[in-house]
Amino acid sequence: MAGPLLPLEGQQIAQRGPTEAVESPPRTGATSSDIADPGLALTGQPGIAWAERAMPVLGMLRAVFAREQPFAGLTIACCLHVTAETAVLIRTLTAGGARVHLAASNPLSTQDDIAAALAAEDAVTVQARAGVDRGTYYEHIHRILDSAPDLVMDDGCDLVNTLHEERPELIGNVRGGSEATSSGAARLRRMAAAGSLHFPVVAADLSAVGRMVDHKYGTGQSVLDGILRATNTLVAGKTVVVAGFGPCGSGVAERARGLGAQVIVTEVDPVRALGALMQGFRVLPMSAAAPLGELVITATGSREVVGAADLALLPDGAMLANAGHFDVEIDVIALAEVAVEVNRGVRPYADEYVLADGRRLILLAEGRVVNLVAGEGNPAAVMDTSFAVQALSLAWLAAGQPADAAPNALDRVLDVPEDIDARVASLTLASLGTRIDTLTEEQRRYLESWRQGS
Ligand SMILES: NC(=O)c1ccc[n+]([C@@H]2O[C@H](COP(=O)([O-])OP(=O)(O)OC[C@H]3O[C@@H](n4cnc5c(N)ncnc54)[C@H](O)[C@@H]3O)[C@@H](O)[C@H]2O)c1
């Protein structure tokens, strides 16, 4: 690869001047890890090595970061799924000079052997044990915040939110962060609108390359994979209802159709609904779709998308799965209330709810994000792209604030700079051995000019 990656080509970076230097709060805690079993460290290594093979872009970035040290002397607090792919990212950040404190963004997706392997590494502490309760989950977030981070990396906004709400003394030290998911970015935007977000966060979910590769193709495939692992059901011939036709929902709908399902889409956005219709999907409101749904998959980022009224309509044997970030899309509380009997674990990650009228509904992964709980999440190759976007975004923030940003830039949720998207797409193409054309000078001039017509 030619040339250094940082600073990014054409990207103006304003360095923090000496007068703006922020005095760091004391770094008190997070010197030790809280993991299930340090003895699992060796068990986790092969999984990380396997993921590394499918993550060539992070491999390239690691080499550049090792040379350029964009995070030298900086502490990064990460609240991410503790998986093999995340381990590859963490190694990329530490190669760039960072000290990393990692907490799990979902206790159900934590892989204890990966947590142990990472905790054994220099410059990394890990606060993650599979299946911990809500209290411990937040305790772990506080432990990584004890490190008084310079940068944060979030997946769902719990870290950034906790930092602002409960540890405001740390805000001044933070140069910025990145957020991986749409739901997290939506929370950030609400914080920013209320004037309550006090450092810039790059919303990595909106990166063009991320939305395409990660949400549509990665989630589209891995959600079906998680459902199949949990149920071993035959999708062909089934009526599958997909709620939400964003990048995730459309990816899920396309994969379900590819497996032979008749797919119904529900939406609240007329443009997205029209898009689904034009792509040949049947579009119905949930009240009309629910009675037909043999497999219902939510991917909206909203709540009670399958609510109590819909539960009353579902056919006997219907399976319910959620692909959205939070476990509120299927009204699990209402389901428990109407059930006269609950048979937990009829298969791993599948619970059967028997209703008073005799219908049996199967809830997968307790209504949590099914591809992470019942499957392995997105394939490593997909995470390679998304994590590369986030690693480069953090390096960009580490180098200083965007010079051309509005005065209130510090309160904003930032888009991924176009250069980063283009850079990651180019590296991914290169890793796949795919070459593309480049504009000739004449073509570039033609496209930039408004004087030339036909
Ligand atoms: N499982 C994963 O691996 C994974 C990966 C990325 C994102 N996500 C999560 O999946 C969810 C969707 O992501 P996205 O990028 O497609 O988001 P998006 O916001 O672009 O799309 C969501 C769509 O759902 C629609 N919607 C909202 N409320 C609805 C309702 N009540 N009924 C029907 N449709 C409704 C919206 O109009 C929108 O078109 C988010 O929660 C995101 O965090 C999951």
Side-chain angles (χ1 to χ4, degrees), residues 180-184 205 211 214-215 218-219 222-223 242-250 266-270 272-273 286 298-305 322-326 329 369-372 377-378:
T181 69
S182 330
S183 295
D205 72 303
R211 288 218 118 185
D214 183 317
H215 292 213
T219 308
S222 63
V223 163
V242 179
F245 202 69
C248 288
S250 63
T266 73
E267 249 301 343
V268 293
D269 177 331
R272 291 254 168 102
M286 184 56 86
T298 53
T300 70
S302 186
R303 59 181 305 135
E304 283 114 41
V305 176
N322 169 45
H325 188 79
F326 293 109
E329 302 213 10
V369 61
V370 71
N371 55 334
L372 284 162
N378 279 333

Side-chain angles (χ1 to χ4, degrees), residues 150-154 160 174-179 199-203 390 393-394 397 414:
D150 302 285
L151 293 160
V152 295
M153 214 168 191
D154 211 350
V160 170
V174 182
R175 297 186 188 189
S178 69
E179 166 56 51
F199 50 74
V201 183
V202 174
Q390 289 172 69
S393 297
L394 275 201
L397 289 165
L414 302 177

Side-chain angles (χ1 to χ4, degrees), residues 1-8 56-71 91-93 95-97 392 395 423 427:
M1 186 179 19
L5 279 175
L6 298 168
L8 297 162
V57 177
L58 282 186
M60 289 186 250
L61 285 186
R62 193 185 305 176
V64 177
F65 282 1
R67 202 169 58 234
E68 301 190 354
Q69 295 292 293
F71 306 119
R91 287 178 174 177
T92 309
L93 300 176
L392 279 172
R423 182 67 60 111
L427 291 174

